[in-house]
Amino acid sequence: QSVLTQPPSASGTPGQRVTISCFGSSSNIGSNYVYWFQQLPGTAPKFLIYRNSQRPSGVPDRFSGSKSGTSASLAISGLRSEDEADYYCAAWDDSLSGWVFGGGTWLTVL
Amino acid sequence: EVQLVESGGGLVEPGGSLRVSCAASGLSFSTAWMSWVRQAPGKGLEWVGRIKSNADGGTTDYAASVKGRFTISRDDSKDTLYLQMNSLRTEDTAVYYCTTARELDYWGQGTLVTVSS
């Protein structure tokens, strides 16, 4: 059971916009930054969004993040087949003194 | 370019020990806080622990699931991070990733540790 809660799956067609939610609590999302990672099958996680809504260089602006209270979301617009992957949210948890992750959301591009 | 390269994974029997390493390049390793994150087969990501830079005290924090069994250390002269795993259990079977700890921004390719008899 993950500390952060994500839907196990999401889907969309090419060109569509999809959002993936991440729910936490006051000790993690409520008081710290949220991060998002993309994991293609068989590869290491990739740094996708940091500090709630910032994109590292090289990440397309189709990817965006937001946070409100104890929840966060990742939005992907102009969906492409290569976006099919697992997406994880993460945040530092002050009570646990450690990073906590969501269970991951598998995105299918139909 | 930052590179993190893990090594040392393999097959170990329950109750056994194993040490995995992470060689870093392209970053100021001595000032970096470093973490280990693991992923069991077909499962999600789980933070294992972190070590601060020696300038920040060199202290460690661990997930409850590994506390008392795993030890994270670093050798700044070799730009290398270590994870010593003792009293291994079958549920420790996972790919172990080395990452930078402050924002989990750089990841290695991972090394597979299999605990099985």
Side-chain angles (χ1 to χ4, degrees), chain A residues 2-86:
Chain A
S2 302
V3 174
L4 304 182
T5 301
Q6 297 179 236
S9 64
S11 64
T13 56
Q16 260 191 335
R17 181 178 187 270
V18 297
T19 60
I20 297 171
S21 59
C22 176
F23 296 98
S25 67
S26 58
S27 63
N28 42 65
I29 292 178
S31 51
N32 295 295
Y33 290 125
V34 176
Y35 295 76
W36 290 92
F37 302 88
Q38 178 194 59
Q39 188 176 33
L40 299 171
T43 69
K46 173 188 172 183
F47 192 54
L48 192 66
I49 296 287
Y50 68 103
R51 299 185 190 180
N52 304 332
S53 60
Q54 304 303 303
R55 278 186 311 277
S57 60
V59 173
D61 59 7
R62 302 187 296 107
F63 294 88
S64 62
S66 64
K67 170 184 148 176
S68 179
T70 59
S71 66
S73 64
L74 172 71
I76 309 171
S77 60
L79 203 59
R80 304 174 68 161
S81 58
E82 58 260 40
D83 297 333
E84 192 162 275
D86 273 313

Side-chain angles (χ1 to χ4, degrees), chain B residues 8 10-20 69-70 83-89 113-115:
Chain B
L11 175 64
V12 60
E13 292 188 346
S17 299
L18 192 68
R19 188 180 81 162
V20 295
R69 301 187 298 124
F70 289 13
L83 177 65
Q84 176 67 45
M85 300 178 285
N86 299 330
S87 303
L88 281 161
R89 306 167 180 167
V113 173
T114 302
V115 185

Side-chain angles (χ1 to χ4, degrees), chain A residues 2 33 35 37 39 42-47 50-51 86 88 90 92 96-104, chain B residues 35 37 39 42-48 50 61-63 97 100-110:
Chain A
S2 302
Y33 290 125
Y35 295 76
F37 302 88
Q39 188 176 33
T43 69
K46 173 188 172 183
F47 192 54
Y50 68 103
R51 299 185 190 180
D86 273 313
Y88 293 91
W92 181 261
L96 297 174
S97 294
W99 285 93
V100 292
F101 289 91
Chain B
S35 268
V37 174
Q39 186 170 34
K43 302 297 183 182
L45 302 171
E46 179 188 16
W47 180 78
V48 171
R50 73 168 181 188
D61 295 289
Y62 298 96
Y97 295 102
T100 47
R102 293 183 197 258
E103 298 199 284
L104 306 182
D105 44 348
Y106 296 103
W107 295 66
Q109 85 289 348

Side-chain angles (χ1 to χ4, degrees), chain B residues 49-111:
Chain B
R50 73 168 181 188
I51 185 167
K52 296 181 180 179
S53 64
N54 285 324
D56 290 313
T59 55
T60 52
D61 295 289
Y62 298 96
S65 58
V66 306
K67 197 168 187 178
R69 301 187 298 124
F70 289 13
T71 302
I72 298 174
S73 62
R74 62 191 301 155
D75 185 339
D76 291 345
S77 69
K78 296 181 178 178
D79 290 349
T80 300
L81 177 73
Y82 301 101
L83 177 65
Q84 176 67 45
M85 300 178 285
N86 299 330
S87 303
L88 281 161
R89 306 167 180 167
T90 55
E91 55 263 37
D92 295 319
T93 294
V95 173
Y96 285 74
Y97 295 102
C98 162
T99 82
T100 47
R102 293 183 197 258
E103 298 199 284
L104 306 182
D105 44 348
Y106 296 103
W107 295 66
Q109 85 289 348
T111 188

Side-chain angles (χ1 to χ4, degrees), chain B residues 19-31:
Chain B
R19 188 180 81 162
V20 295
S21 304
C22 169
S25 60
L27 77 163
S28 177
F29 183 78
S30 64
T31 62

